[in-house]
Amino acid sequence: SFGLGKSLIQLETCRLILQHTGGRGLIVCPLGVRQEFLRDAGMVQIPLHFIRTTAEATEDGLYLTNYESVREGKLDPRSFQVVSLDEAAILRGFGGTKTFRTFMGMFEGTSTYRFVATATPDPNEYIELLAYAAFLGIMEVGEGKTRFFKRDSTKADKLTLHPHKEREFWLWVASWALFIERPSDLGCSDDG
């Protein structure tokens, strides 16, 4: 949900992983969100540097870039130990397009530590959930379509969940995804 501190959670998660593994971390976000990340990183004293090319990541530490730098091949995410996608709902628009396939291919072989963060997942937009699973290396989009859904022959990405697969699908999603709506979902107070 909005306002739960996804940027702070991503920063701290990446910091802790890098503290354990060493190396470099990368947060990919829309260009308009970078100031929020830089502000939040300063607030919690996590060094964060905005880069547009892999060559700019000269030391171990945490880096921030925009989706266009990755998509245009200026930055290779495979040279980072942890990668997190912010506002990952952008993958929804990539769907089955060439851009999506190209983008996803750039992350093949990346770190074991991959994260997706968004305030706008649509639980009825199955393609979006399948795109997240593909990015995280859980299951390819095509495999998910075949396993859980009926297809509409008139519209390629209009999916209808098989009624007998509904429970299995949501248990599968719950095995790799965490949905948070309120601070109390994390054990904190909802006041304020």
Side-chain angles (χ1 to χ4, degrees), residues 9-154:
I9 291 168
Q10 288 176 85
L11 288 163
E12 181 65 359
T13 300
C14 291
R15 184 193 72 76
L16 289 170
I17 290 170
L18 293 176
Q19 180 181 338
H20 178 71
T21 65
R24 300 182 297 183
L26 181 67
I27 297 173
V28 184
C29 68
L31 193 55
V33 179
R34 78 176 172 170
Q35 294 306 325
E36 176 186 331
F37 268 97
L38 293 169
R39 181 198 68 225
D40 287 354
M43 182 175 67
V44 293
Q45 300 177 353
I46 295 176
L48 179 67
H49 307 283
F50 182 77
I51 59 173
R52 293 180 196 246
T53 66
T54 306
E56 294 174 80
T58 57
E59 301 175 357
D60 286 357
L62 188 54
Y63 294 91
L64 181 68
T65 195
N66 58 316
Y67 279 95
E68 293 78 12
S69 293
V70 175
R71 190 175 57 208
E72 294 168 10
K74 296 176 184 175
L75 199 141
D76 183 358
R78 290 175 290 200
S79 61
F80 295 86
Q81 282 64 41
V82 57
V83 176
S84 184
L85 300 184
D86 184 62
E87 300 297 344
I90 197 168
L91 294 178
R92 178 187 324 144
F94 291 174
T97 66
K98 179 183 177 208
T99 304
F100 173 75
R101 289 188 302 275
T102 301
F103 187 81
M104 295 301 283
M106 293 175 169
F107 289 91
E108 288 177 9
T110 58
S111 165
T112 312
Y113 303 102
R114 287 186 255 175
F115 299 92
V116 175
T118 182
T120 56
D122 184 343
N124 297 315
E125 183 59 54
Y126 300 119
I127 286 291
E128 181 178 353
L129 293 173
L130 293 176
Y132 297 162
F135 170 76
L136 295 169
I138 307 295
M139 182 182 290
E140 293 298 318
V141 172
E143 183 182 349
K145 286 178 177 180
T146 302
R147 182 173 174 183
F148 299 112
F149 299 97
K150 295 188 273 188
R151 296 195 190 189
D152 183 336
S153 60
T154 62

